[in-house]
Amino acid sequence: SDVWQQRLQRERIERERIEQELQVARRIQQASLPKEVPSLAGWQILPFYQPAREVGGDFYDFFDLEEGRLGVVVGDATGKGMPAALMMASTRSTLRAVAQASESPGDALRRVNDPLVTDIPSNMFVTCFYAILDPKSATLSYANAGHDLPYLHRNGEAEELRARGMPLGLMPGMSYEEGEASLGEGGCVLFYSDGLVEAHDPEGEMFGFPRLRTLVAEHDAAERSLVDFLMEELYSFVGDGWEQEDDITLVTLRRSAS
């Protein structure tokens, strides 16, 4: 009947609209990812990004700062699709704009937070971990806006890089605690988003932080990269037929063994 035909037509149009929006969101996201990885003598930087079908708001970026320092950022805007892609792109460009003029990672996040609060829809926010590497002294200073804690692999252990701070875009006038870590010989930092941690196996068990931390601690850099190792572990954990629900972003920063 006509009614049925009209309904099918409406559903088809709606499906196409959603599909187009996803494509635009994915284009925004891909345009926001850095085209190349900075090469820094004595250091190895390895990003890995695997988008889910429905775009999440993951992003990572690198900034060249004065005196040879390097900024590394990993973040995640809540939600999916177009709103997440737009929030992610806006956070990234604001951070790019303030990074050079900021005195420290905490200062940079503070300067990103206030404009976001005015722009962002009330049910959304962006988590973000921002670190600055000084390659000469091998120190990493960092601040965290509610993002998953990176792990520093050293001497067969994985320690969390802790610093308190609210996600971006929730409340104006926030300040961000700062931390500092020294990256000794062969030290490696893993920055990541929750796509890896929240993946679950067919029984519904989550990959989880404890497992990730143990794996980072056990990892042997001589055998293969941490990223390859973690993704192999993830695939054997989730099993065949796994449907990825969220973007997976991993960035490792490692001091080349001299």
Side-chain angles (χ1 to χ4, degrees), residues 7-257:
R7 201 180 129 192
L8 284 178
Q9 173 77 350
R10 272 203 309 274
E11 283 177 4
R12 188 177 60 80
I13 290 170
E14 177 63 7
R15 258 203 317 277
E16 279 172 9
R17 189 191 64 76
I18 291 170
E19 197 51 53
Q20 276 173 332
E21 200 176 271
L22 272 179
Q23 281 171 5
V24 175
R26 189 167 287 123
R27 277 206 292 274
I28 291 173
Q29 187 163 34
Q30 274 160 353
S32 297
L33 295 173
K35 299 289 167 275
E36 49 200 44
V37 180
S39 60
L40 203 56
W43 296 86
Q44 187 190 37
I45 300 158
L46 201 64
F48 172 86
Y49 166 72
Q50 184 168 292
R53 195 189 107 70
E54 255 198 288
V55 177
D58 278 17
F59 63 102
Y60 65 90
D61 208 350
F62 308 108
F63 313 129
D64 288 320
L65 302 167
E66 52 200 22
E67 292 164 25
R69 294 172 312 148
L70 178 76
V72 180
V73 60
V74 175
D76 188 4
T78 48
K80 294 251 198 305
M82 199 64 163
L86 290 171
M87 266 358 295
M88 176 275 292
S90 142
T91 304
R92 174 184 174 266
S93 56
T94 309
L95 190 50
R96 282 220 141 210
V98 304
Q100 303 297 338
S102 304
E103 279 141 43
S104 66
D107 180 41
L109 290 182
R110 188 178 60 75
R111 292 174 187 226
V112 172
N113 181 57
D114 287 358
L116 263 189
V117 173
T118 50
D119 287 354
I120 205 165
S122 60
N123 57 340
M124 288 183 77
F125 57 85
V126 180
T127 67
C128 182
F129 192 97
Y130 181 41
I132 296 176
L133 171 70
D134 182 341
K136 290 193 283 288
S137 63
T139 53
L140 194 71
S141 55
Y142 56 87
N144 189 4
H147 196 72
D148 294 328
L149 304 178
Y151 292 115
L152 167 57
H153 167 94
R154 257 202 311 223
N155 315 326
E157 285 183 37
E159 51 192 275
E160 295 171 331
L161 298 184
R162 290 181 169 275
R164 283 188 302 270
M166 287 286 271
L168 303 170
L170 282 177
M171 287 194 289
M174 289 286 111
S175 65
Y176 293 88
E177 187 180 51
E178 293 182 329
E180 195 172 276
S182 108
L183 306 186
E185 282 300 309
C188 177
V189 181
L190 170 73
F191 308 93
Y192 57 97
S193 66
D194 54 14
L196 169 68
V197 183
E198 289 179 2
H200 33 77
D201 69 9
E203 279 71 63
E205 191 195 335
M206 251 179 29
F207 193 79
F209 293 103
R211 185 188 319 266
L212 176 58
R213 188 173 184 167
T214 304
L215 291 171
V216 172
E218 287 170 357
H219 172 245
D220 177 3
E223 282 182 24
R224 63 199 140 163
S225 78
L226 180 56
V227 167
D228 288 345
F229 175 57
L230 291 176
M231 290 310 289
E232 280 168 29
E233 291 288 334
L234 175 66
Y235 284 123
S236 70
F237 174 77
V238 293
D240 296 340
W242 174 59
E243 189 154 329
Q244 185 185 335
E245 285 170 34
D246 200 2
D247 295 348
I248 292 179
T249 304
L250 307 170
V251 177
T252 58
L253 169 65
R254 199 163 85 85
R255 193 172 182 182
S256 323

Side-chain angles (χ1 to χ4, degrees), residues 1-9:
S1 72
D2 289 352
V3 179
W4 182 244
Q5 286 298 323
Q6 283 169 341
R7 201 180 129 192
L8 284 178
Q9 173 77 350

